[in-house]
Amino acid sequence: MKKMLISPSLLAADFARLGEELAAVEAAGADMLHLDVMDGVFVPNISFGMPVIASLRKASGMFFDVHIMITDPIRYIDGLAKAGADGVTFHLEAAPDTGAVIDRIRARGMKAGLTLRPGTPVEELLPWLPRLDLALVMTVEPGFGGQSFLPEMMEKVSAIRREAERLGCPRLIIQVDGGVGRDTAAACGAAGANCLVAGSAIFGKKDYAAETEAIRAAALAAIHK
C-alpha cells in the first residue's frame, strides 16, 4: 500500500460550525469525509440525515463517505444518492438482502461498502468482498463517538486483507473506524488497513493538519517496517 486515506468523522465536529469544520479538514489534507447516519433503532443514537448531507454537499467537492447505521438500509439509498453521498457503507446485520443493497448503491452511481458490529464474525463479510469497494472494520460498538479502541478487531482487518489478496481485489479499501488516533494508527496499518476514520483525534485538536498527518504517518510507518 502506497497511500493511507484519512476520513475525519463529522460526528466529532462542532455542529454549530459544520461548514467551517468541513472546510478545515479539507484544508488539512483529509481524503474524504466520514458521515455517520443513525436511526436510533439499529443503534441507540440519532445523528443527522439527508438534509445535512445535502447542505454540506453544496459547500464541498470532497468524497462523502457515508456510514449508515439504520434498519432496512435499502429504503434510504436513493435519498442518500440525491443528497450527494459518494459512497455508502451499511451493516450486514441490518440488511435482509445484502446483495440487493449493494446493487442499489451501485445502480445509483455510488461506491458500496459493508461493515459488521464488533461481535459479528468476519467470516460473514468475506464472501461479499468481490462485490465491494470498501470493507469497514468497527473497533467500537457503533452508535457513539469517543469510545476506546478494541485492538482484537485487528484480526478482522488482517483476515479481510488476506482474503482480498487471495481473491485479487487490489482496489478494495479496508477502513477502520473507532478510537483511531496517533496511538492506534500503527496497529491499523500493520494489520492491513488503508483508510482510517478519526473523529475526536482530529476535530478535538487545535491543529487539524498536524493531527491528520501524524495519524497517516504512524499508519504508513507500521506498513513499511
Side-chain angles (χ1 to χ4, degrees):
M1 293 179 292
K2 296 182 179 180
K3 189 169 185 181
M4 182 63 59
L5 304 174
I6 305 296
S7 186
S9 174
L10 195 71
L11 197 63
D14 180 350
F15 274 40
R17 304 171 48 251
L18 283 186
E20 295 172 45
E21 292 277 64
L22 171 55
V25 293
E26 188 168 6
D31 300 283
M32 55 182 76
L33 184 72
H34 193 80
L35 300 114
D36 290 305
V37 177
M38 309 177 196
D39 64 357
V41 179
F42 181 71
V43 293
N45 195 13
I46 296 172
S47 56
F48 48 80
M50 279 57 143
V52 170
I53 295 172
S55 294
L56 292 172
R57 180 79 287 166
K58 296 174 185 176
S60 175
M62 282 188 82
F63 186 98
F64 279 9
D65 164 33
V66 181
H67 173 199
I68 56 175
M69 289 163 270
I70 56 180
T71 57
D72 198 12
I74 199 167
R75 298 178 296 158
Y76 299 92
I77 302 307
D78 291 350
L80 288 166
K82 185 176 180 181
D86 295 296
V88 176
T89 299
F90 66 99
H91 279 260
L92 187 149
E93 305 97 338
D97 188 339
T98 300
V101 182
I102 294 171
D103 289 342
R104 179 69 63 84
I105 294 170
R106 287 276 178 76
R108 292 309 307 266
M110 299 181 291
K111 302 293 186 182
L114 188 62
T115 187
L116 308 167
R117 290 180 180 274
T120 304
V122 70
E123 287 76 17
E124 295 190 20
L125 184 147
L126 298 180
W128 297 102
L129 293 184
R131 298 182 60 182
L132 299 176
D133 299 291
L134 182 149
L136 168 58
V137 173
M138 296 295 301
T139 57
V140 299
E141 191 62 36
F144 294 92
Q147 299 181 63
S148 297
F149 182 86
L150 297 174
E152 60 269 28
M153 293 299 108
M154 293 302 96
E155 296 177 11
K156 287 187 176 182
V157 175
S158 296
I160 292 171
R161 173 58 61 196
R162 287 193 300 270
E163 185 66 2
E165 291 178 354
R166 188 186 74 81
L167 293 171
C169 305
R171 296 184 181 275
L172 179 72
I173 293 174
I174 302 177
Q175 186 178 76
V176 176
D177 182 9
V180 174
R182 291 185 183 218
D183 296 338
T184 54
C188 300
N194 56 2
C195 182
L196 304 181
V197 176
S200 57
I202 292 176
F203 284 109
K205 301 298 189 296
K206 290 183 179 180
D207 190 334
Y208 291 1
E211 294 304 323
T212 298
E213 288 312 307
I215 293 168
R216 194 194 318 271
L220 286 173
I223 294 170
H224 297 144
K225 279 186 177 180

